[in-house]
Every structure is written in C-alpha cells, then in structure tokens.
Amino acid sequence: MKKAVVSGIGVISAAGKDLPETLDTFAQGKRNAGPVSLFPTLLTYPVFEVRDIPPQWHKEGMRTLSLALCAVAQALGDAGLPDDLSSLKVGVCLGTTVASQLNDLEFYRSFRNSGQAPMGAVDRFLRGNLAQAAAHTFKAEGPALTVVNACSSGADAIGISLSWLKQGICDLAIAGGADELNHVPLCGFGSLGIVSESLCAPFDRNRSGLNLGEGAGVLIIEAEDICRQRGKAPLAYLAGYGIAADAYHLTAPHPEGKGLEAAVRQAMASANITPDDVSFVNAHGTATPDNDKVEGTVLARIFGPDVKVLSTKGYTGHTLGAAGGLEAAFTVAALREGWIPASIGFVHQDTEIPLAPVAVKTPIEKGYGVSTSLAFGGNNTALIFSAAGCSVRSSSFRKCRDTA
C-alpha cells in the first residue's frame, strides 16, 4: 500500500489570502469579521468574508469556483508542480455545499415573475462543478469528483483522494473544499436559529451559535515515492481517514456522538495509532450548543480531558463545504510549525463539556494531528495527519517522540 503525503497547501479565507497571512492572523489572534457586504440583506449577523480574490482567479458570478481555483493554484505552487498537469496522473476531488449555483437567485426571481430569464445562470450552472472546472483549468486528466456532503464535504474529499492513491487510481490528487457566503445559507442558518448575533465562541459556556464564513482549503496529496522522486520533501503524511453516519436526525448530532466516535476510532485504526499518539485535535467546533457539547464529550472520552483541542472557526467563521479542507490544511500547518493557535472566543469553561480548548498559542509535539468534521444529515469525518519527520506507524512515532 502506498503511503500518502501532503506536498502542498492552498488556503484563502477571512483569516488570510494565503497560508503565511493566515498563520500571522492566528498568531496575533485577529478576527476579521464584519457585517455582510457581498449582497444586500436586512440580517445583521457578523460574517467572515474574503476581502480580495486575486484577479486572475476571479470568475464573474462564480465566487465558489474563484475561491477554489485560487487555493488550488496556491497548493500546486507550494508543491512545486506546474499549472499544466497533463504529463501526470492527477485526480481532483473537491467538496462544497452548493458551489457556484447560488448566484442564480435573480434567474429564479425573473422566471417566476415573468416566465423569462437570461440564460447566463444556466451557463454558470453547467460550468460550476468545482472538480471538473479545476481539472479543466489545470489539465488534470485523472478522476474528477465533486463531493456534496454538507459541512464534511471538504474532509471527505481528502479522504476519498487517499483511497484513490491507495488503489493506484492516480499518483497525485488535488483535494479539499470551497464555499462562498450567500443569501441562501445566511437566511437558512438564521431560520434554524443557530447563528450568533456576536462573534462566535466555540466550546465556551456562553456560546450562542455560529458565524458564517467563506473560503477554500486545498491539499496536494501524492504517493510518497512520487513526491520524493520529484525532489520534493513531504510536508506531512495523510495517515488515516474515518467516516460514519449518526442515522439520527436531519440537523442535530447524535446526543452521545456515536457517529463521531466511530469515525475517529476508524481513522485511528486506519492510521494504526492509539489515542496516546495524538498530539492535538483540530475540532469542528462550530460554537452551537449541541455540536460543541457532543463533540467535546466524545473527544474527552477518546483522548482524555487533557487533550489539546482547538477550533479555528473563530478566525474563519463556519465555511461549510470549505471547512474540512481549510481545517485539514491548518492541521498540517500546525504539525509543520509546531504550534496551534488559541481557540479564539473561548473564555469560560462549560461544566457540561469535560474538556477545555487551548486559550493561548500552544506548542505541540511533532506527532499526529486529528481534524474532525461534522455535518447535517449526521455525517461525521475524521482525518489524521502525521508530522513529516515521523513515520506513519505508531511505534515509529513513539521512537521519534522519545528521542526528540
């Protein structure tokens, strides 16, 4: 079985236009939130918008695709790969919720009112499939798959790319997620009563809901031998992937977190590690009462109450289909940098959650990092990455840790 490595990272969100700017935001504890400026609305929730998309990746009326292409280009550059991938066996797997198809509200409004509408929206619909559009742009000729699995979409896309590499379907995969801020999720999440009127506070006892955001996070995943033959040093290993459904409720997590626990344990089994090998968990941490209570309880049950946990949604907002890709990228970056940022927004321990996230910038061991994603429909996904300096086998990691 081929080992999979991460060789490139691309991110864009309200926290930064790229990874260096994002890490600076994390280190300084900045929160670039504000009122909605992308479209007119009477809703006053704070949101995390991307301020500047590089002009070369701006696609009129296709914001999600613009964000995705920006992150893919960054990741390819970080991996030392060309913009034309036609000479390689490359797959593309990208997650989203509804991609670039939300900008068609005017089409539906016009058609409903007059029976006629400009057909530009139909053209955008046909060109808005993220994976196909990215594959076409960068001439990737392997499998192309867009995953629409609610807020675990980006993480699932990375997990699927791991299976592609293990089966030899491709040697290299572009994987992650992207989503834009739009009327539809803003109104929809507002109607559900889970959006906060103030900045979100994941795992805090006074948390009052999530803030929406937008962005894209993409990793280049490739077989280790291919990466090293190119002369590229891996950034990290993609060591494990687990997925499990609650089969409980359309929007609420299972009260005991059965699906999440199954996903995390499945990911650890596939990585051949134990809870003691895990250095930190980059949690889904939406700041909604139910999610954080269930997730915190499950993580404490698996890893113990002293495990280092954080949520980065206080910096990015909840970016929906992009969240799994962004947070996987942040997990890899943390392993490389040797620290995790403060779980911004957290101040007060919740007595119903048997752990507390890190409240300050915190050093970590160069071990294993877990990234969790929970989603409507009861989807639960866990990804496990290991530092590039250690093997993906637990026994080797313990040797690495003990001799560091």
Side-chain angles (χ1 to χ4, degrees):
M1 183 179 68
K2 294 181 178 180
K3 293 179 181 177
V5 301
V6 179
S7 60
I9 298 174
V11 295
I12 182 169
S13 73
K17 65 180 183 303
D18 54 25
L19 186 60
E21 191 169 293
T22 301
L23 292 176
D24 183 62
T25 297
F26 286 173
Q28 296 186 39
K30 294 189 295 186
R31 312 186 77 180
N32 301 321
V36 175
S37 66
L38 292 172
F39 47 85
T41 178
L42 298 176
L43 300 177
T44 58
Y45 306 120
V47 295
F48 288 78
E49 295 179 348
V50 173
R51 295 301 177 189
D52 297 301
I53 297 176
Q56 65 268 38
W57 302 118
H58 175 72
K59 306 292 182 185
E60 185 64 33
M62 306 179 78
R63 189 170 178 83
T64 303
L65 179 58
S66 302
L67 293 165
L69 293 178
C70 177
V72 171
Q74 285 182 31
L76 291 173
D78 191 33
L81 290 162
D83 290 342
D84 184 341
L85 302 172
S86 57
S87 63
L88 302 168
K89 196 164 113 181
V90 179
V92 182
C93 194
L94 295 175
T96 187
T97 54
V98 284
S100 296
Q101 296 162 16
L102 290 173
N103 293 320
D104 302 335
L105 295 178
E106 186 56 37
F107 172 89
Y108 297 120
R109 186 179 296 114
S110 176
F111 191 80
R112 182 182 60 188
N113 293 337
S114 67
Q116 297 180 340
M119 297 304 290
V122 176
D123 183 59
R124 288 197 297 273
F125 186 92
L126 295 173
R127 293 187 292 116
N129 183 301
L130 291 189
Q132 289 185 2
H136 177 76
T137 300
F138 298 101
K139 298 179 175 56
E141 298 177 352
L145 177 66
T146 297
V147 179
V148 183
N149 209 14
C151 300
S152 62
S153 299
D156 287 324
I158 292 170
I160 290 168
S161 76
L162 176 62
S163 71
W164 286 353
L165 263 64
K166 286 182 175 179
Q167 295 175 51
I169 294 174
C170 57
D171 296 321
L172 185 154
I174 298 167
D179 247 327
E180 67 189 85
L181 184 70
N182 189 279
H183 257 123
V184 175
L186 186 68
C187 295
F189 280 81
S191 297
L192 288 171
I194 57 174
V195 183
S196 178
E197 297 279 359
S198 56
L199 291 181
C200 66
F203 297 106
D204 190 274
R205 75 174 180 225
N206 297 323
R207 64 192 182 281
S208 57
L210 57 82
N211 304 141
L212 286 174
E214 61 177 357
V218 171
L219 300 178
I220 303 300
I221 312 293
E222 59 182 311
E224 182 178 19
D225 55 344
I226 300 295
C227 182
R228 294 193 183 281
Q229 286 169 17
R230 296 195 298 110
K232 173 69 177 178
L235 302 177
Y237 288 94
L238 174 52
Y241 168 53
I243 180 171
D246 287 337
Y248 170 74
H249 191 272
L250 184 61
T251 57
H254 189 285
E256 298 175 11
K258 289 184 176 179
L260 175 61
E261 180 165 359
V264 173
R265 293 195 184 280
Q266 185 185 124
M268 287 195 298
S270 69
N272 193 22
I273 64 171
T274 70
D276 289 340
D277 295 319
V278 172
S279 181
F280 69 97
V281 179
N282 190 353
H284 191 60
T286 58
T288 58
D290 284 352
N291 178 94
D292 291 7
K293 179 182 176 182
V294 169
E295 186 173 22
T297 300
V298 169
L299 295 178
R301 189 158 67 228
I302 297 173
F303 299 106
D306 296 326
V307 63
K308 294 174 182 175
V309 173
L310 77 154
S311 167
T312 54
K313 287 187 172 61
Y315 301 96
T316 64
H318 192 346
T319 59
L320 307 182
L326 280 167
E327 290 156 20
F330 299 156
T331 302
V332 173
L335 289 166
R336 189 183 65 180
E337 298 293 322
W339 58 270
I340 54 177
S343 192
I344 199 81
F346 173 81
V347 177
H348 304 102
Q349 172 86 50
D350 185 339
T351 56
E352 292 190 305
I353 301 177
L355 57 74
V358 296
V360 297
K361 179 181 173 182
T362 302
I364 58 166
E365 294 182 56
K366 295 284 188 179
Y368 288 83
V370 178
S371 183
T372 55
S373 295
L374 287 68
F376 282 177
N379 301 312
N380 301 274
T381 299
L383 295 168
I384 296 180
F385 298 91
S386 68
C390 297
S391 167
V392 296
R393 306 290 291 192
S394 59
S395 58
S396 299
F397 165 60
R398 293 194 187 97
K399 181 179 179 181
C400 169
R401 179 180 61 188
D402 295 343
T403 56

